[in-house]
């Protein structure tokens, strides 16, 4: 996402960043894509998943890393060309500093302990932390607005303490589905007030294919930069390959379009 990096440099800073989307749009896939880009530079990444298992997250990473179908990564049944890609680079892939935690009911203080212990035992400094997703942290059902506010402040503090970006994934409410274009905005964040206030940047993901399933698919996505405390806001067009868990080909940046 070169265009994204051009105007948003917080990926190398200690900021709290939010990735929001409706269900099935691809926020976890997008987060794994960002993790891949850190990992390709050998930057240690921690990924806390409260919905998907470790195997599912690693399968997504493998799919976007090698650009092969994620179902094949899960089953291990590759065709010949896929085998050449995966087997040829698997030694390098297996050494990536990627740590996935799929324990349920973790709180932010517990996450901090896990990260500190791992950093000490592995002698590493975290380059990015992903939490998927905010509303499920510490419990099996979604939090109240007050509880989400506390979690949001704790994640912001965690980013400062670790000196790295912390990405919090967030569900969106149904308000966007009532709009003609169905594109999300800041007000669609569930329990949005505290999250919007605390976040240094908020990225909202939209796909017409998910919003309008009856239309012919265009395999495109809008990455809407709805808040950017340290730069411009606007949107970027991306290609989306759901089979390979891949967002690719950043197009022109549209400043303040949304």
């Amino acid at each position: 996402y070169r265009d994204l990096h051009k105007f948003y440099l917080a990926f190398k800073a200690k900021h709290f960043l939010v990735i929001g989307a409706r269900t099935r749009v691809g926020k976890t896939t997008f987060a794994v894509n960002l993790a891949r880009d850190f990992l390709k530079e050998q930057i240690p990444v921690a990924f806390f998943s409260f919905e998907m298992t470790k195997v599912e997250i690693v399968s997504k990473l493998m799919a976007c890393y090698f650009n092969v179908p994620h179902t094949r990564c899960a089953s291990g049944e590759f065709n010949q060309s896929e085998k050449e890609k995966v087997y040829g680079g698997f030694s390098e892939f297996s050494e990536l500093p990627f740590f996935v935690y799929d324990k349920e009911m973790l709180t932010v203080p517990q996450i901090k302990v896990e990260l500190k212990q791992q950093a000490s035992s592995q002698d590493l400094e975290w380059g990015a932390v992903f939490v998927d997703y905010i509303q499920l942290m510490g419990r099996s059902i979604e939090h109240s607005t007050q509880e989400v506010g506390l979690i949001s402040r704790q994640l912001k503090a965690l980013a400062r303490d670790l000196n790295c970006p912390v990405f919090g994934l967030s569900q969106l409410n149904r308000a966007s589905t009532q709009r003609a274009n169905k594109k999300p905005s800041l007000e669609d964040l569930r329990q949005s007030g505290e999250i919007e206030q605390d976040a240094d940047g908020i990225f909202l993901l939209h796909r017409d294919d998910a919003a309008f399933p009856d239309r012919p698919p265009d395999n495109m996505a809008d990455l809407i930069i709805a808040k950017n405390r340290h730069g411009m806001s606007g949107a970027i067009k991306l290609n989306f390959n759901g089979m390979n868990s891949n967002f690719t080909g950043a197009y022109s940046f549209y400043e303040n379009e949304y």
Side-chain angles (χ1 to χ4, degrees):
Y1 313 105
R2 279 182 239 165
D3 283 355
L4 190 59
H5 286 285
K6 280 181 184 177
F7 69 90
Y8 202 98
L9 303 177
F11 289 0
K12 297 184 182 296
K14 45 188 176 183
H15 292 159
F16 172 44
L17 306 165
V18 174
I19 301 169
R22 292 279 298 139
T23 303
R24 295 189 298 276
V25 170
K27 60 182 176 293
T28 300
T29 297
F30 181 70
V32 170
N33 276 225
L34 288 180
R36 173 202 59 197
D37 292 346
F38 282 106
L39 293 166
K40 283 188 172 182
E41 297 180 22
Q42 291 300 309
I43 297 173
V45 172
F47 202 107
F48 292 85
S49 175
F50 303 123
E51 277 199 306
M52 295 186 179
T53 66
K54 180 176 182 178
V55 170
E56 289 171 325
I57 295 297
V58 172
S59 293
K60 278 184 175 290
L61 178 66
M62 185 181 295
C64 70
Y65 189 89
F66 293 110
N67 197 28
V68 296
H70 64 86
T71 53
R72 304 275 179 87
C73 294
S75 67
E77 298 176 355
F78 301 105
N79 62 34
Q80 188 57 42
S81 64
E82 292 163 353
K83 283 182 181 178
E84 292 173 3
K85 284 184 184 179
V86 175
Y87 294 175
F90 192 77
S91 177
E92 178 181 301
F93 178 83
S94 64
E95 295 298 321
L96 294 175
F98 189 49
F99 301 84
V100 181
Y101 304 81
D102 59 1
K103 296 179 183 177
E104 296 181 357
M105 312 292 284
L106 284 181
T107 64
V108 178
Q110 290 171 327
I111 284 176
K112 182 177 178 179
V113 170
E114 292 271 6
L115 291 171
K116 294 284 188 179
Q117 290 177 344
Q118 190 71 259
S120 177
S121 65
Q122 298 288 330
D123 190 26
L124 56 80
E125 292 185 4
W126 295 110
V129 175
F130 293 82
V131 175
D132 185 13
Y133 58 89
I134 292 171
Q135 287 85 357
L136 282 181
M137 291 195 67
R139 61 193 299 177
S140 58
I141 59 174
E142 292 193 354
H143 291 276
S144 68
T145 299
Q146 292 78 11
E147 291 170 322
V148 168
L150 174 60
I151 291 169
S152 177
R153 291 190 295 275
Q154 289 176 331
L155 289 173
K156 187 176 182 69
L158 181 65
R160 290 177 176 271
D161 186 52
L162 296 176
N163 193 32
C164 78
V166 171
F167 294 84
L169 277 64
S170 178
Q171 286 279 37
L172 300 183
N173 61 37
R174 297 181 180 275
S176 63
T177 64
Q178 307 304 313
R179 301 187 191 107
N181 64 9
K182 300 190 183 299
K183 290 185 177 179
S185 65
L186 286 175
E187 64 190 33
D188 300 333
L189 284 169
R190 286 193 181 176
Q191 298 92 10
S192 63
E194 297 288 346
I195 296 175
E196 181 179 348
Q197 177 180 318
D198 294 332
D200 293 285
I202 298 177
F203 306 129
L204 303 177
L205 201 61
H206 170 79
R207 290 194 300 111
D208 278 350
D209 291 352
F212 303 100
D214 295 334
R215 294 182 182 178
D218 64 3
N219 300 314
M220 299 293 293
D222 292 298
L223 180 63
I224 302 165
I225 297 83
K227 177 182 178 180
N228 186 354
R229 188 169 282 161
H230 308 283
M232 297 180 289
S233 59
I236 291 176
K237 285 285 187 182
L238 299 171
N239 290 316
F240 176 66
N241 183 334
M243 182 177 292
N244 292 9
S245 298
N246 230 337
F247 288 90
T248 58
Y251 291 86
S252 298
F253 170 63
Y254 301 94
E255 185 176 1
N256 296 323
E257 183 172 324
Y258 293 90

